[in-house]
């Protein structure tokens, strides 16, 4: 009897390049199962975990474990949820997750909250299928969680990690409010190399952190085990979430409406990853700085809200290393080194979105040129409405306003022109951050703050030839953009006009 041909199991790379999403998702599921049947059979790297309480172990009376989600809003490929399930499986108790919805978050508008809540709705459904209770609380964690944990005798709380001031404060306040006999764990589920492992200080530039991160990838860039159907059912059942009431409870600017071109949720994010692998990755090395080319991953909205894991993106992209080596290396530099450098900056520099957070050389050079005459000065509203004399800048702003995203290369030009066209560096930084945070789906993110700080006050950059207004801050101009890409085509696509300048004086 002839031997059956060996089963042609597609390698992840093959399915990543394949055009079918179901095949890609099936391969991810298989990939998790080959890592381990569940997190109990997986060697969980405890360096991803920090214990924030004096209490280190779960009390014997524990009736469950709860994961408080704020940055990593997904089920699979989530080290924080995996750690919570590990604890619950070990103690044979139910597993709960919760989200604490606050009515305002930095300069988020209904655009970002809509994207986030739809992603959470998908996550809640997936938790339901896995026997994990999904609770939605209104208010800050420290106000709602301690009583809930005490009342239901939950025996451990797990949080994920964001380096920003506000989420860090939420964690600190919760740590002091939780019952003393309940351990409180924090897991960095956003970075591949945990922020506190990559470096113990603010790094000067990508070149000083790159090897600290890349040398640890063999230890941390591993497969994920699956979050499995939880075998211990809970007597405490989560109330069904009223998602419309959640959206209505927000005190946010509703004039910046939801974007329709980017579908929220983990599945949509993974679909974008699969499409990136199969269609755009090949262009990434050569065309990533060309805004007229669709060469970017476009994954940042889902990564910002943690609806997909960057580690998952890297695992998928690296399967295609043999075919597109330069693109894979360039993408890993952006998605691992630059992104983790941004978390490093915000974690170790509390002034991460203020001029005080810039290096002394940058603050000095901006001061030296504070009195330089600005040829054009625009108000925040004029910038928001793309009313400047520069058609390229206006086109980039219109892309941001309409799509909730701006091309990465243009963000630098866009922010640097705000430095040139406002009366002080402080206002330039405040306006750039406000516009990015309120209009960009992936705003309010360490990468966004570092992007504005790099452009306006030279963070992670060096000094350049001194000039008006910029001092030694790296300069970018229209002519430079024309040398890089077809500016006219981009302007035609987004319709930015040259508005005549009306001096304020
Ligand atoms: N996290 C929460 O725990 N509760 C919220 O209500 C909340 C709103 C929110 C709105 C916009 C946004 O971009 C993020 C938001 N987050 C919220 C997410 C979370 O705080 C993230 O940790 C931050 O984005 C920092 O990474």
């Amino acid at each position: 009897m002839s031997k059956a041909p060996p089963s042609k199991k597609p390698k992840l790379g093959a399915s990543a390049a394949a055009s079918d999403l179901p095949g890609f998702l099936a391969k991810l599921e298989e990939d998790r199962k080959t890592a381990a049947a569940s997190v109990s059979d997986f060697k969980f790297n405890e360096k991803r975990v920090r214990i924030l309480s004096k209490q280190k172990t779960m009390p014997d009376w524990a009736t469950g474990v709860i994961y408080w989600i704020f940055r990593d809003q997904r089920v699979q490929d989530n080290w924080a949820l995996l750690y919570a399930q590990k604890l619950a499986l070990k103690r044979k108790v139910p597993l709960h997750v919760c989200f604490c919805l606050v009515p305002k978050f930095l300069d988020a508008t209904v655009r970002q909250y809509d994207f986030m809540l739809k992603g959470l709705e998908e996550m809640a459904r997936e938790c339901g299928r896995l026997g994990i209770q999904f609770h939605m609380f209104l208010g800050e964690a420290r106000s709602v969680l301690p009583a809930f944990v005490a009342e239901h005798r939950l025996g451990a709380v797990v949080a994920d990690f964001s380096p920003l001031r506000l989420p860090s404060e939420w964690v600190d306040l919760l740590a002091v409010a939780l019952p003393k006999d309940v351990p409180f764990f924090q897991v960095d589920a956003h970075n591949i190399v945990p922020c506190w492992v990559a470096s113990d200080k603010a790094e000067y530039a990508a070149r000083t952190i790159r090897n600290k991160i890349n040398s640890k990838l063999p230890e941390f860039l591993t497969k994920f085990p699956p979050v499995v159907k939880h075998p211990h059912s809970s007597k405490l059942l989560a109330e069904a979430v009223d998602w419309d009431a959640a959206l209505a409870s927000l005190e946010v600017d509703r004039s910046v409406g939801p974007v329709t071109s980017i579908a929220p949720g983990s599945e949509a994010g993974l679909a974008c990853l699969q499409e990136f692998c199969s269609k755009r990755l090949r262009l990434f090395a050569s065309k990533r700085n060309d805004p007229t080319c669709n060469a970017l991953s476009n994954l940042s909205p889902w990564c910002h809200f943690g609806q997909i894991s960057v580690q998952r993106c890297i695992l998928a992209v690296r399967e295609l290393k043999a075919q597109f080596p330069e693109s894979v290396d360039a993408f890993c530099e952006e998605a691992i080194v630059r992104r983790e450098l941004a978390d490093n900056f915000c974690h170790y520099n509390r002034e991460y979105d203020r001029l005080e957070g810039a290096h002394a050389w940058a603050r000095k050079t901006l001061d030296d040129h504070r009195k330089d005459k600005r040829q054009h000065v625009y108000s925040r509203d004029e910038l928001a409405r793309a009313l400047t004399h520069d058609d390229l800048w206006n086109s980039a702003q219109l892309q941001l306003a309409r799509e909730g995203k701006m091309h990465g290369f243009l963000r630098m030009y866009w922010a640097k022109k705000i430095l040139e066209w406002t009366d002080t560096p402080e206002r330039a930084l405040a306006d750039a951050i406000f516009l990015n945070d309120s209009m960009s789906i992936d705003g309010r993110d360490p990468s966004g703050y570092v992007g504005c700080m790099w452009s306006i006050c030279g963070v992670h950059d060096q000094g350049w030839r001194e000039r008006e207004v910029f001092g030694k801050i790296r300069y970018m101009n229209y002519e430079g953009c024309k040398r890089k890409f077809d500016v006219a085509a981009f302007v035609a696509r987004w319709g930015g006009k040259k508005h005549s300048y009306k001096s304020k004086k």
Side-chain angles (χ1 to χ4, degrees):
M1 167 122 113
S2 65
K3 251 164 73 49
S7 68
K8 276 240 157 295
K9 260 201 263 184
K11 273 172 54 58
L12 180 64
S15 64
S19 58
D20 69 318
L21 179 59
F24 180 68
L25 295 177
K27 201 67 192 67
L28 296 191
E29 254 180 68
E30 187 189 318
D31 198 45
R32 294 186 192 105
K33 287 202 181 79
T34 53
S38 82
V39 66
S40 306
D41 314 314
F42 182 80
K43 196 172 171 348
F44 194 100
N45 193 325
E46 297 281 342
K47 293 180 197 167
R48 295 191 195 276
V49 189
R50 290 195 301 186
I51 304 185
L52 303 178
S53 53
K54 286 194 179 49
Q55 180 71 24
K56 307 285 180 218
T57 55
M58 283 174 64
D60 296 344
W61 44 259
T63 66
V65 172
I66 187 162
Y67 161 36
W68 161 41
I69 311 155
F70 56 86
R71 193 177 196 198
D72 293 281
Q73 302 167 14
R74 64 183 178 275
V75 172
Q76 294 300 345
D77 306 338
N78 181 337
W79 292 118
L81 181 52
L82 283 161
Y83 192 71
Q85 186 164 55
K86 177 184 165 75
L87 296 173
L89 288 172
K90 190 150 177 274
R91 295 297 298 274
K92 299 186 174 27
V93 293
L95 176 58
H96 300 260
V97 299
C98 71
F99 188 81
C100 300
L101 184 66
V102 291
K104 255 190 87 52
F105 181 77
L106 303 176
D107 291 313
T109 67
V110 74
R111 169 175 285 184
Q112 291 85 18
Y113 268 97
D114 178 74
F115 188 89
M116 183 182 77
L117 287 171
K118 290 209 170 64
L120 285 168
E121 199 170 346
E122 180 192 275
M123 181 177 185
R125 279 197 303 275
E126 196 173 349
C127 284
R129 288 195 295 273
L130 292 171
I132 300 169
Q133 299 301 319
F134 181 102
H135 307 266
M136 168 72 86
F137 297 130
L138 298 185
E140 290 195 4
R142 50 113 175 227
S143 325
V144 295
L145 254 184
F148 185 81
V149 165
E151 184 188 341
H152 300 291
R153 298 168 64 73
L154 299 178
V157 179
V158 177
D160 51 42
F161 167 75
S162 165
L164 298 188
R165 285 188 301 269
L166 187 55
S168 306
E169 196 184 306
W170 291 342
V171 168
D172 295 345
L173 290 169
L174 180 65
V176 298
L178 281 174
K180 294 296 158 259
D181 48 2
V182 173
F184 184 27
F185 303 96
Q186 182 172 44
V187 181
D188 184 345
H190 214 74
N191 294 301
I192 296 173
V193 179
C195 191
W196 47 77
V197 172
S199 171
D200 56 4
K201 63 181 175 37
E203 291 292 335
Y204 194 76
R207 65 182 153 72
T208 64
I209 201 172
R210 183 172 296 114
N211 188 43
K212 292 185 179 182
I213 287 179
N214 287 341
S215 62
K216 297 181 182 75
L217 290 182
E219 178 183 359
F220 290 99
L221 182 52
T222 67
K223 289 174 179 279
F224 288 97
V227 172
V228 295
K229 186 160 177 54
H230 201 68
H232 310 294
S233 57
S234 168
K235 283 192 288 303
L236 163 64
L237 299 177
E239 287 169 34
V241 180
D242 180 342
W243 296 97
D244 296 335
L247 195 59
S249 75
L250 302 177
E251 297 154 21
V252 287
D253 173 357
R254 294 177 193 263
S255 68
V256 187
V259 287
T260 50
S261 55
I262 310 175
S266 298
E267 178 142 343
L270 289 171
C272 181
L273 172 61
Q274 187 269 331
E275 204 197 44
F276 174 57
C277 290
S278 58
K279 297 201 183 81
R280 298 194 295 275
L281 178 62
R282 66 196 70 224
L283 301 170
F284 192 79
S286 56
K287 296 288 185 190
R288 69 183 182 286
N289 286 332
D290 182 343
T292 67
C293 258
N294 191 10
L296 298 183
S297 73
N298 301 332
L299 291 165
S300 56
W302 296 284
C303 292
H304 166 67
F305 286 102
Q307 295 173 358
I308 55 172
S309 146
V310 173
Q311 186 162 339
R312 171 57 63 201
C313 299
I314 299 298
L315 289 172
V317 160
R318 284 203 347 173
E319 294 282 342
L320 299 166
K321 169 97 176 177
Q323 285 163 272
F324 314 116
E326 297 86 2
S327 285
V328 170
D329 289 347
F331 183 73
C332 288
E333 170 68 15
E334 300 286 323
I336 304 176
V337 178
R338 299 292 160 132
R339 230 180 30 80
E340 303 216 7
L341 175 63
D343 265 35
N344 167 274
F345 180 71
C346 296
H347 185 55
Y348 292 111
N349 183 335
R350 302 321 275 161
E351 310 290 336
Y352 54 75
D353 55 353
R354 300 175 184 138
L355 218 52
E356 294 78 2
H359 288 293
W361 72 264
R363 292 200 306 278
K364 179 176 179 333
T365 199
L366 288 167
D367 270 341
D368 291 349
H369 292 271
R370 194 176 283 279
K371 297 269 177 286
D372 291 5
K373 176 162 173 40
R374 271 73 173 155
Q375 298 306 322
H376 301 88
V377 174
Y378 292 109
S379 67
R380 179 180 288 186
D381 184 56
E382 286 171 315
L383 294 171
R385 291 162 56 216
L387 297 176
T388 78
H389 64 291
D390 179 324
D391 57 358
L392 173 59
W393 192 93
N394 291 339
S395 299
Q397 177 60 26
L398 288 171
Q399 179 185 31
L400 176 64
R402 290 183 197 142
E403 299 271 299
K405 254 184 80 53
M406 184 187 296
H407 187 280
F409 177 80
L410 275 175
R411 281 189 208 228
M412 299 187 285
Y413 176 76
W414 172 86
K416 285 181 178 291
K417 289 301 146 193
I418 294 177
L419 171 60
E420 194 170 342
W421 303 335
T422 46
D423 44 2
T424 69
E426 287 81 3
R427 184 158 85 73
L429 192 55
D431 285 357
I433 286 175
F434 175 79
L435 292 174
N436 188 53
D437 275 6
S438 57
M439 291 186 158
S440 189
I441 290 271
D442 64 359
R444 301 152 315 289
D445 190 283
S447 296
Y449 296 126
V450 165
C452 292
M453 292 291 277
W454 178 91
S455 300
I456 294 171
C457 33
V459 163
H460 300 147
D461 200 0
Q462 58 181 58
W464 295 78
R465 190 167 53 78
E466 195 153 5
R467 57 178 305 126
E468 291 289 288
V469 179
F470 282 74
K472 295 174 187 157
I473 301 298
R474 179 195 299 251
Y475 183 65
M476 283 175 83
N477 68 0
Y478 196 97
E479 289 315 306
C481 291
K482 281 170 75 172
R483 283 195 294 277
K484 283 247 178 190
F485 64 89
D486 184 347
V487 167
F490 187 82
V491 170
R493 166 76 182 80
W494 293 100
K497 303 218 173 339
K498 292 180 196 284
H499 292 270
S500 58
Y501 180 64
K502 298 181 198 64
S503 168
K504 306 286 175 304
K505 299 274 178 290

